[in-house]
Amino acid sequence: MSDDHHPGAETAGKSRPAATVAAVRAAVAGHAPDFLADLRDWVSIPSISADSRHHADVVESARWLAEALRRDGWPLVEVWDTTSAGPMLPAVHACWPAEDPDAPVVLVYAHHDVQPVDPVTAWDHPPFEAVLVGDELFGRGVSDDKGQVLMHLLALRAHLDATGRTAPAVTVKLLVEGEEESASPNLARLLADHADALACDLVVVSDTQLLGRDTPSVCVGMRGLADAEVVFHGAASDLHSGQFGGAVVNPAVALAKLLAALHDDDGRVAIPGFYDDVRDPDPAERAAFARLPFDEAAWLAGPGAGASAWGEAGWSTLERLWVRPTVEVNGVHSGYTGPGVKTVVPRQATAKLTFRLVPGQRVARVLDLLRDFVAARTPHGVRSEVRTGRGGFDPAVVEPGDPATGAVVDALRMVFDHDIVPARSGGSGPAALLTDALGAPLVFLGAGLSGDHVHAPNERVAVPLLHRGAEAAAVLWDLLPGRLARAGGGTEEHTA
Amino acid sequence: MSDDHHPGAETAGKSRPAATVAAVRAAVAGHAPDFLADLRDWVSIPSISADSRHHADVVESARWLAEALRRDGWPLVEVWDTTSAGPMLPAVHACWPAEDPDAPVVLVYAHHDVQPVDPVTAWDHPPFEAVLVGDELFGRGVSDDKGQVLMHLLALRAHLDATGRTAPAVTVKLLVEGEEESASPNLARLLADHADALACDLVVVSDTQLLGRDTPSVCVGMRGLADAEVVFHGAASDLHSGQFGGAVVNPAVALAKLLAALHDDDGRVAIPGFYDDVRDPDPAERAAFARLPFDEAAWLAGPGAGASAWGEAGWSTLERLWVRPTVEVNGVHSGYTGPGVKTVVPRQATAKLTFRLVPGQRVARVLDLLRDFVAARTPHGVRSEVRTGRGGFDPAVVEPGDPATGAVVDALRMVFDHDIVPARSGGSGPAALLTDALGAPLVFLGAGLSGDHVHAPNERVAVPLLHRGAEAAAVLWDLLPGRLARAGGGTEEHTA
C-alpha cells in the first residue's frame, strides 16, 4: 500500500527539484504503515457533531488528535473548547515554527468532526471500523476530513525527514475544527478570539477533492452555503379531511406550490433577484472546464446511481456543480407519514432548503430574497415562517494566476508528474470566513476524490492519493518561502 | 346530565304519538347514569385499529361490547374474528328478534375501533380517561363511534321499557366493526361470509353527525374515500447536495410539482377525467343547503381555528364538504427532517393522498385516473410508484323522499320537536358496501356533532344528543313496521 513508487518522479522537469520529491516520497513511504494505522484508529471515534449523543466522541476525537500531534513533536498543541461566547465542540490548534523567524506562516484548516452515518444498514462495512479494500480505505471520515488532517501530519514528518531539518521551511499552523459539518457556528468567534495565534500569510484549506485519480486538479473556488427552514402553518391542529378537506387551505399543498415555484422551466432559480449578484465565470475558465475529461456516466454510476443529469439550461454538469448557484430541497415533512391511512388536513408543512452560492453572492442577501419570495407566495389562510441557521458560508474563489495557488499547482505537478487542471468544489466550507477574518490569501490543497461518497454510506478514500497529498504539502512548504511575500503573523505566536 | 327534559315533548303534533316519545324519554333518562358509566368504561380501552400495538385492545373492546350486550339481554351475541380469508380484528354481531316473525329486519352498522391519539400532548385530558365537562364527555371514541354504538343498546332498552314488550317491534341486528378506521379491509369478505346472518330489509348506519344542537338533521349522503401513496424515487441513496445538487433531478422538487398540479387556480381537481362521472346535486338540494343556518365562522373557530375557507370556485363551504369531490394531501415526507442542516438531495419523496368521492364516482376508477396523472407527470430522472390500499369506500346517497329515510326524519322530528333538515356527511364509511352487499336500502341515524373533534385531539360528544339519538332509534323501531316493506332476511338467522 505504502509503496506507490511513481515512474515519472525521477524525470526531472525544468522547475522540479526531483531529488526533493524523491526524498519526500521515500519519507512518506516509510511512514505509510503508521499513517494507515493512525487513520483507522482515529476513524473508530464517531465524532458526529450534528448528533448530541456523539458530542463526547467529538471531545475524544480532539484529544486523540492533540496526542498524535504531540507524539509527532509539534511544539505547540492546544485544544480549544470555548470561545468568549461560551462552550463549543473542541477545535485543535497546533504550531510548528519555521527555523527562519522571517519565513512565511501558513495556517492549515481542516476538521475532525464527521457526518451522521444513517442509514447504517446501507454500509457494506461498519462505518467506524475502517476496512481496506484494494487501495481504498472505507469508513466515516476517511476522506472528509480525518484523512486530509493526518495527511498534514504525514507531510510535516516527510518534510523534515527529506530535508534533515528540525523545523519546517515555513511556520505551519493547524486549525482542525470540530463543528464544520454543523456549519461552523462558532468559528467566526473563535477566529476573532485567537486572531494573534492564528495570524498567517496564507490559509490552506484541506477539505476538497481531486477530479480523478488520473486527473489531478487544483481547487480554485468553493461554493457558499445558506440554509433555511420554511414552515407553513394552517389550523391549530390536524383536521379531519372529511369535515374540512376541500374547504380549507391545506398547508402541504400550499408548500408544494412554493417548492414547485423555486425553479423555472429552464432549471433556473426563480427567486427574484437571485442572480443579480452572481459573477459569471470568464470564458477562459468555461473553456478550461469544457476540456476536462469529466465522465458524466461514471459520476452518475457512483453514489448517484439511479439519478439523471438535470439542471440550469445553458450550463454543463460540471458548471452546474461548480460555478452556478442552486437551491435544493433537502427535506420535507407534513402531516401523517406513518403506516396506513390517516385522513387529515395537516396543520403545518415544513421544508428544509439549502442554497449553494457562487462568487458575488452573500448568505445574508440570499436569505433576504428567500424571505421576500416566501412572503409573496404565502396564500391567504396560511401563516409562513422562515427559520435561518446561525451560520452559512459565503462563497470563496481564488485566481488560477495567484502566486500561492501557483505554488500549489507546482507542488501537485511535481508529485503527480502530470498537468494540473483547475477545478472547483461544489461543496462548501468556511474558506471565505477564514480568508476574510485572517486577512490572508487562500489556497485549497485536498486529496479526496469526487467519488469518495462523502456524506453518504460507504465513504472511502484512495490511500495513495493521501500519500500524494502529503508529498505535495511537504514540497509546498519548501516552495512557499520563494513565492509568498510575508505580510504579517509569525513571531508572537511562536511563544504563545 | 341525564335529565334533559325537553319542553316541547309534551306538545303533541298531529303525527306525533306523544305518549310514546314521553315514555321512551323517561326510559332513556332512567338508564342515563348506567349509559354514561358504560361509555366511560368502554372508552378506557384504547382500541386503535391503525396501530398494531393496540390490536389486543381492539380484541378487548369487542369482548367488552359482547359482554354488555349479553348483560342487556340480547338473545344472540357473537364475536367474529376471522373471515374465510383469514384473521381480522374482531367485529361484534348481535340480534334481537322481533315478536312478529314477519316484522322488518334492520341491521345497525357502527364500529368500536378508534383513531390514533397523537399528538397526545394536544389533549386537555388523557384521551382514554373520559371526563365530563358540562354536558360534554371528552375522550377518544366518545363520538366516533363508541357513543353511537351504546346509543343503540340504550335505545333498545328504552324501546322495550316504554312499550312493555319483551322483544322489539322490528328484528334488530348489530354489526359493530373493529377495522373501520383502517378503511374496513375485511368487511366485504365478512358480509359475504355471513350473508344469511346479516340479511335485512334496511341498513342503519350510525356513524354521522348532526348539523348542530339547534339544527337537527338527517344525513342523506356520505362521501366515498380512496387512498394512495405516491412515491418518487431518484438516486439509490441520498446525495451530497454540493456534489450533486443542481445537476440531478431532486425527487422532493419533482413531487412538489406534482402536488402543486393537483388543483387548478379555481380549486378544482386537475386530474384529467376526475369530474367525468360526478353527478351534481339537483338545484332543489342546493337550495336546501343554502337555507341551512351554517355558521362558517363557528365552524372555523372549532378544531379549524387558524384555517381559512378555501375550495372549488362556485360552491359554498357546505357544498365543498358534502357534494363535491376532493383530493387531499394527508402527509409528505422526503429527505432529512431532523434538527439542524443536512445537505442532501433526497433519494425519494412520498406523499399520502386521499380522495373524497361523490355519487357517480367509484374508487377503482379514480385510482386509475391518479395512476395516469402521475405517470404523465413523472419527470425524466424519477421513477414513480403509486401504492393503493386494500379498500376504500364508494360514495353512498339516499333520496330524501325514500320511505325509510322518511321514517328516520319523523322519528327525529318527534324527539327533537323541530324540523329536520337534510344534510350530508363529508366523511366516509362503508355505507355503499353494506347496501350493495346486503341488497337493502340505507338510512343514516347519527347523533354526533360536526364540532366533536373526531379524529383530532379533544374528541367530545354532547351526551344529551346521544340520549336524543337513542330516543329516535327507539321510536324508529316502532315506526318502521308501517313504513317498510319486508323484502327478505328474517327468520333463518333467528336461530343462528
Side-chain angles (χ1 to χ4, degrees):
Chain A
M1 274 314 307
S2 60
D3 183 6
D4 36 30
H5 182 79
H6 197 298
E10 285 80 13
T11 58
K14 63 179 176 230
S15 69
R16 189 195 318 156
T20 304
V21 171
V24 163
R25 176 152 302 163
V28 163
H31 292 295
D34 290 349
F35 169 76
L36 183 65
D38 280 352
L39 182 52
R40 296 174 77 150
D41 191 34
W42 197 17
V43 164
S44 73
I45 303 170
S47 50
I48 303 168
S49 60
D51 187 340
S52 59
R53 293 169 299 181
H54 285 288
H55 285 180
D57 296 313
V58 181
V59 172
E60 172 63 14
S61 168
R63 194 206 56 73
W64 187 99
L65 176 60
E67 194 58 36
L69 288 160
R70 291 189 186 104
R71 179 205 63 198
D72 275 11
W74 288 67
L76 174 74
V77 179
E78 294 180 343
V79 174
W80 293 340
D81 56 8
T82 52
T83 70
S84 53
M88 65 180 289
L89 293 175
V92 178
H93 172 240
C95 178
W96 200 318
E99 283 181 336
D100 175 2
D102 293 325
V105 178
V106 300
L107 174 72
V108 172
Y109 169 85
H111 62 93
H112 69 96
D113 60 321
V114 300
Q115 278 275 313
V117 295
D118 49 288
V120 72
T121 51
W123 288 74
D124 295 335
H125 311 283
F128 300 108
E129 299 172 23
V131 172
L132 194 64
V133 180
D135 64 5
E136 290 183 311
L137 188 68
F138 285 72
R140 174 56 89 221
V142 291
S143 175
D144 179 18
D145 193 27
K146 287 173 174 169
Q148 302 195 51
V149 173
L150 291 190
M151 175 180 96
H152 279 287
L153 276 68
L154 177 58
L156 199 60
R157 295 165 84 177
H159 174 77
L160 299 180
D161 285 3
T163 59
R165 282 193 286 247
T166 57
V170 292
T171 292
V172 180
K173 300 179 178 181
L174 296 182
L175 179 62
V176 182
E177 199 193 354
E179 298 183 331
E180 196 269 355
E181 300 293 7
S182 296
S184 304
N186 295 296
L187 182 59
R189 176 77 66 159
L190 190 77
L191 295 176
D193 288 353
H194 297 280
D196 286 347
L198 299 174
C200 61
D201 303 297
L202 179 68
V203 174
V204 178
V205 170
S206 284
D207 187 18
T208 55
Q209 289 86 35
L210 301 168
L211 256 186
R213 288 190 183 225
D214 302 326
T215 319
S217 54
V218 62
C219 179
V220 295
M222 181 176 264
R223 290 195 293 187
L225 181 74
D227 70 274
E229 194 167 78
V230 178
V231 188
F232 271 21
H233 301 273
S237 66
D238 287 354
L239 299 174
H240 186 300
S241 73
Q243 297 191 343
F244 290 90
V248 294
V249 178
N250 182 323
V253 173
L255 184 68
K257 288 180 181 175
L258 181 89
L259 301 181
L262 285 171
H263 298 89
D264 67 16
D265 291 343
D266 287 329
R268 282 172 64 86
V269 178
I271 297 172
F274 185 73
Y275 292 94
D276 285 358
D277 301 325
V278 169
R279 288 205 309 270
D280 284 348
D282 65 35
E285 191 171 13
R286 293 193 69 180
F289 292 159
R291 285 191 302 270
L292 291 175
F294 176 66
D295 182 344
E296 189 167 288
W299 170 72
L300 285 174
S308 291
W310 171 91
E312 188 184 351
W315 300 87
S316 70
T317 289
L318 270 190
E319 288 171 337
R320 290 166 180 166
L321 293 173
W322 288 352
V323 296
R324 299 306 294 167
T326 70
V327 56
E328 283 300 336
V329 178
N330 308 124
V332 185
H333 183 265
S334 183
Y336 181 72
T337 58
V341 176
K342 192 173 181 199
T343 51
V344 292
V345 177
R347 70 183 178 88
Q348 73 174 39
T350 302
K352 285 178 180 282
L353 306 181
T354 48
F355 296 86
R356 298 287 175 171
L357 309 181
V358 298
Q361 294 184 299
R362 305 287 290 187
V363 171
R365 170 75 181 146
V366 165
L367 293 178
D368 282 345
L369 294 173
L370 175 68
R371 284 186 199 94
D372 292 345
F373 179 76
V374 172
R377 289 182 170 269
T378 301
H380 179 71
V382 168
R383 182 173 65 80
S384 64
E385 189 184 353
V386 178
R387 301 171 181 158
T388 55
R390 280 195 290 166
F393 299 128
D394 284 324
V397 67
V398 297
E399 297 302 321
D402 174 82
T405 292
V408 173
V409 169
D410 287 345
L412 288 169
R413 187 164 42 211
M414 288 159 69
V415 302
F416 279 100
D417 191 35
H418 194 289
D419 277 346
I420 306 301
V421 294
R424 294 217 195 177
S425 169
S428 306
L433 173 61
L434 289 159
T435 192
D436 289 351
L438 300 174
L442 170 73
V443 297
F444 297 93
L445 179 64
L449 275 177
S450 57
D452 277 350
H453 294 229
V454 302
H455 294 208
N458 300 315
E459 181 178 345
R460 67 201 64 179
V461 75
V463 178
L465 290 185
L466 293 178
H467 296 167
R468 289 297 84 71
E471 293 162 15
V475 170
L476 181 64
W477 305 157
D478 263 336
L479 295 180
L480 281 176
R483 307 287 185 94
L484 200 65
R486 177 144 188 284
T491 55
E492 69 274 31
E493 73 288 345
H494 292 179
T495 56
Chain B
M1 273 315 305
S2 61
D3 185 7
D4 37 28
H5 182 81
H6 195 298
E10 285 80 15
T11 58
K14 63 177 181 241
S15 70
R16 190 197 315 157
T20 305
V21 171
V24 163
R25 177 153 302 163
V28 163
H31 292 296
D34 291 348
F35 169 77
L36 185 63
D38 280 352
L39 182 52
R40 296 173 78 149
D41 192 34
W42 197 17
V43 164
S44 72
I45 303 170
S47 50
I48 302 168
S49 60
D51 185 341
S52 58
R53 293 168 300 181
H54 285 290
H55 284 180
D57 295 314
V58 181
V59 172
E60 172 62 13
S61 168
R63 195 205 55 73
W64 186 100
L65 175 60
E67 195 59 36
L69 288 160
R70 291 189 186 104
R71 178 203 65 197
D72 275 10
W74 287 67
L76 174 75
V77 178
E78 293 179 343
V79 173
W80 294 339
D81 58 8
T82 53
T83 70
S84 54
M88 65 181 288
L89 293 175
V92 178
H93 172 240
C95 179
W96 199 318
E99 282 179 338
D100 175 3
D102 293 326
V105 178
V106 301
L107 174 72
V108 172
Y109 170 84
H111 63 91
H112 68 97
D113 60 322
V114 300
Q115 279 276 313
V117 295
D118 49 289
V120 72
T121 52
W123 288 74
D124 295 334
H125 311 284
F128 299 109
E129 300 172 23
V131 171
L132 193 65
V133 179
D135 65 3
E136 290 183 310
L137 187 68
F138 284 73
R140 175 55 89 219
V142 292
S143 175
D144 180 18
D145 192 30
K146 286 174 174 169
Q148 301 196 50
V149 173
L150 290 190
M151 176 181 95
H152 278 287
L153 275 68
L154 178 57
L156 200 59
R157 294 165 84 177
H159 175 77
L160 298 179
D161 285 1
T163 57
R165 283 193 286 246
T166 57
V170 292
T171 292
V172 180
K173 299 178 178 179
L174 297 183
L175 178 63
V176 182
E177 200 194 349
E179 297 182 332
E180 196 269 355
E181 299 294 6
S182 295
S184 303
N186 295 296
L187 183 59
R189 177 74 67 159
L190 190 77
L191 295 175
D193 288 352
H194 296 281
D196 286 348
L198 299 174
C200 62
D201 303 298
L202 181 67
V203 173
V204 179
V205 169
S206 283
D207 188 18
T208 57
Q209 289 87 34
L210 302 168
L211 214 44
R213 285 189 186 226
D214 303 325
T215 317
S217 55
V218 61
C219 179
V220 295
M222 180 175 262
R223 290 196 291 187
L225 181 73
D227 69 275
E229 194 168 78
V230 178
V231 189
F232 273 19
H233 300 273
S237 66
D238 288 354
L239 299 175
H240 186 300
S241 73
Q243 297 192 343
F244 290 91
V248 295
V249 177
N250 181 322
V253 173
L255 185 68
K257 289 182 180 174
L258 181 87
L259 301 181
L262 285 172
H263 299 89
D264 67 18
D265 290 342
D266 287 329
R268 284 172 62 86
V269 178
I271 297 173
F274 185 72
Y275 291 96
D276 286 356
D277 301 324
V278 169
R279 288 203 309 269
D280 284 347
D282 66 36
E285 190 171 15
R286 294 193 69 179
F289 292 159
R291 285 192 300 271
L292 292 175
F294 176 67
D295 182 345
E296 190 166 287
W299 170 71
L300 284 175
S308 291
W310 172 91
E312 188 183 349
W315 300 86
S316 71
T317 289
L318 271 190
E319 289 171 338
R320 289 167 180 166
L321 293 173
W322 289 353
V323 297
R324 299 305 296 168
T326 70
V327 58
E328 284 299 338
V329 177
N330 309 122
V332 185
H333 183 267
S334 183
Y336 181 71
T337 59
V341 177
K342 192 173 181 197
T343 51
V344 292
V345 177
R347 69 184 179 89
Q348 71 174 40
T350 302
K352 286 178 180 280
L353 306 180
T354 49
F355 296 87
R356 298 287 175 171
L357 309 181
V358 297
Q361 293 184 299
R362 307 286 290 187
V363 170
R365 170 76 180 146
V366 166
L367 294 179
D368 282 346
L369 294 173
L370 175 68
R371 282 186 201 96
D372 292 346
F373 179 77
V374 172
R377 289 180 169 271
T378 302
H380 180 69
V382 168
R383 182 174 64 79
S384 63
E385 188 184 354
V386 178
R387 301 171 181 158
T388 55
R390 278 195 292 166
F393 299 128
D394 284 324
V397 68
V398 297
E399 297 302 322
D402 174 82
T405 292
V408 172
V409 169
D410 288 345
L412 288 168
R413 186 160 46 211
M414 288 159 69
V415 303
F416 278 101
D417 190 35
H418 194 290
D419 278 347
I420 304 303
V421 294
R424 296 218 195 175
S425 169
S428 307
L433 173 60
L434 289 159
T435 191
D436 289 351
L438 301 173
L442 170 73
V443 296
F444 296 94
L445 179 64
L449 274 177
S450 58
D452 278 350
H453 294 227
V454 302
H455 292 208
N458 299 316
E459 181 178 345
R460 67 202 63 180
V461 76
V463 178
L465 290 184
L466 293 179
H467 296 165
R468 290 297 84 70
E471 292 163 14
V475 170
L476 181 64
W477 304 158
D478 262 337
L479 294 180
L480 281 177
R483 306 288 185 94
L484 201 66
R486 176 142 190 285
T491 55
E492 67 275 27
E493 74 287 347
H494 292 181
T495 56

